[in-house]
Amino acid sequence: MSAATHCWERGGRGVSDTPSYLHVADALRGHITSRRLQPGDRMPSISALQRDHGVSTGVIQRAYAVLIDEGLVLARPGAGYYVKSQEPPAVLVRRQRGAPGDGSPTEATLARQGVVGTWRHESQPRAADARIAARLEIQPGDPVMHTGYVYLADGEPAQLAESWEPMAITGGSLIVLPEAGPHAGIGVADRMALIGIEVGVPVERVTARQASRSEAQTLGVAPAVPVMAIERTYYDQAAGRPVETADIVLLGSRWVAEYGRRP
């Protein structure tokens, strides 16, 4: 075995001027392009690559960052790294609220397109900051229920959302936790209907921007990819007050938005 070959396999120590993380990235890329690792396969763990290449955790993380930027690898927080399919993903159509009783609008929208929609979530009470208080027409510091979501389409992250609901409206009721209890996961409109509030179609402001670093990491894509950002607010149709507001982030490569309905 030549010195150069030995250097490539062991992370580039002492022989080549090429950074170690690029040698590791080359080795992993070779497994992908040779089809030894197929789309959807889990990539080697960081600890296994540390052992095989004799390098630090940081070197392996930088190597994976290179492959993510190249579109070869998908990072799934808490689950590791996976070979990304090179087939263009199906474009998903996002529509506003469906018919009452449809349950989760995102799940229903994906199901109509033959895609299995699942999500991760975490809810906790918070004090409304000035931005959220203005959107909900409450006072800064008032209690709200905050819920963060990661939506997956056929197992791959495709949408993020953060939701805030005034505790003055939902506190003390069975719907206070959007994703827990007997009415979990049925969506804002159907949950509010259970406490006598009709919300109708939400108001949405749609903009385009680049994903933040944390958003890109959660979605498993390179930083600064295009995303569609939606600021959504549901209103009590009788009282005119906001009852929920949310920030929704959708991958520009996966989604288009469609508004209005054909007669």
Side-chain angles (χ1 to χ4, degrees), residues 33-49:
T33 57
S34 68
R35 309 290 289 185
R36 280 177 283 178
L37 287 170
Q38 300 288 320
D41 285 352
R42 185 172 182 175
M43 297 290 293
S45 68
I46 289 177
S47 59
L49 290 171

Side-chain angles (χ1 to χ4, degrees), residues 71-228:
L72 294 175
V73 168
L74 178 71
R76 294 180 180 168
Y81 299 89
Y82 291 80
V83 181
K84 187 175 181 180
S85 173
Q86 299 306 299
E87 294 294 324
V91 174
L92 303 171
V93 179
R94 179 186 182 274
R95 298 179 178 89
Q96 287 184 302
R97 179 190 174 192
D102 270 358
S104 166
T106 301
E107 183 181 27
T109 292
L110 293 173
R112 283 192 290 267
Q113 298 174 74
V115 175
V116 176
T118 56
W119 58 93
R120 303 191 295 265
H121 57 86
E122 182 178 357
S123 295
Q124 59 181 336
R126 288 187 181 176
D129 62 21
R131 180 177 70 96
I132 297 305
R135 285 165 55 173
L136 289 173
E137 298 177 9
I138 59 178
Q139 295 299 312
D142 282 356
V144 293
M145 182 61 68
H146 170 266
T147 306
Y149 294 90
V150 180
Y151 290 94
L152 300 96
D154 285 341
E156 293 195 3
Q159 175 180 333
L160 309 177
E162 286 190 273
S163 167
W164 297 266
E165 297 177 355
M167 296 285 284
I169 294 174
T170 62
S173 72
L174 291 175
I175 69 162
V176 64
L177 293 171
E179 301 296 332
H183 309 299
I186 64 174
V188 175
D190 289 343
R191 286 175 50 250
M192 292 296 169
L194 292 170
I195 57 172
I197 296 175
E198 180 185 351
V199 297
V201 177
V203 175
E204 295 191 344
R205 299 181 62 190
V206 184
T207 58
R209 60 172 173 83
Q210 294 179 333
S212 69
R213 182 168 293 277
S214 62
E215 289 168 345
Q217 182 178 18
T218 304
L219 290 167
V221 296
V225 300
V227 295
M228 180 168 27

